[in-house]
Amino acid sequence: MKLFSFNKKELFSEPEKERLVHAIRQAERLTSGEIRLFVESRCEYVDPMDRAREAFVALGMDKTKQRNGVLLYIALRDHQFAILGDQGIHEKVGNDFWQKEALLLKTHFSSHKIIEGIEVCVKEIGESLYHYFPYESGDQNELPDDIVFGK
């Protein structure tokens, strides 16, 4: 018998999860680049970029062949996020690109359009990855496309 029954509320519904995984797969289909989405309720760090770096390494994103992985980190309840691109893609797009994507997310999030914001951001990141790291024969998906849920 359970004394307390706590049902942890899912951060995204199943249809929302499917939409986001589909967006990742679409964005990656023409590139050797990798996009991961890491979502949790709260960020334990003052700077969400520190948590993003921790997750980036824990997910092995720093080990892609061309160093072209991108992580979208989102702490929903704390209203924090970070976008972290590995060395290969960062050298190509620079800080302005990441700031533009962060503004895009912030705009969508402030309008309570979380899923749409993530979809658009993933699409634009995928377009940049395609531009600099187009799919070549023999490329393989180095990282899973599923959403990673933290605490």
Side-chain angles (χ1 to χ4, degrees):
M1 179 173 109
K2 291 183 182 177
L3 291 176
F4 299 100
S5 177
F6 295 107
N7 290 334
K8 183 178 178 185
K9 184 179 184 287
E10 291 287 323
L11 296 174
F12 295 136
S13 68
E14 284 305 315
E16 289 171 333
K17 290 177 195 175
E18 289 172 16
R19 281 177 62 184
L20 294 174
V21 170
H22 177 75
I24 293 168
R25 288 185 177 142
Q26 286 297 107
E28 287 186 357
R29 78 183 153 78
L30 297 176
T31 178
S32 63
E34 298 289 337
I35 301 170
R36 300 292 317 260
L37 175 59
F38 187 97
V39 181
E40 58 189 352
S41 181
R42 302 225 173 259
C43 181
E44 296 179 4
Y45 294 75
V46 173
D47 183 352
M49 187 59 83
D50 291 337
R51 178 68 172 132
R53 284 187 192 98
E54 179 182 70
F56 194 90
V57 171
L59 294 171
M61 294 187 69
D62 57 333
K63 307 233 184 310
T64 61
K65 184 177 167 184
Q66 296 184 351
R67 304 291 305 267
N68 56 2
V70 178
L71 177 69
L72 270 73
Y73 168 76
I74 301 169
L76 285 174
R77 290 193 175 49
D78 285 342
H79 304 282
Q80 292 183 308
F81 67 88
I83 306 169
L84 180 61
D86 205 351
Q87 180 182 351
I89 186 63
H90 180 72
E91 288 175 352
K92 302 288 186 188
V93 299
N95 286 330
D96 288 345
F97 175 76
W98 304 120
Q99 290 173 359
K100 178 176 93 57
E101 294 306 311
L103 181 59
L104 180 141
L105 277 179
K106 185 177 179 180
T107 301
H108 278 81
F109 289 2
S110 64
S111 300
H112 305 286
K113 296 179 180 177
I114 308 294
I115 303 302
E116 293 84 353
I118 296 169
E119 284 176 319
V120 172
C121 187
V122 164
K123 180 180 184 280
E124 290 187 7
I125 290 169
E127 289 168 356
S128 286
L129 286 168
Y130 168 67
H131 180 75
Y132 295 107
F133 300 97
Y135 177 85
E136 295 175 2
S137 179
D139 278 345
Q140 56 183 320
N141 195 6
E142 295 179 77
L143 298 170
D145 297 331
D146 61 329
I147 303 167
V148 179
F149 289 96
K151 302 172 197 142

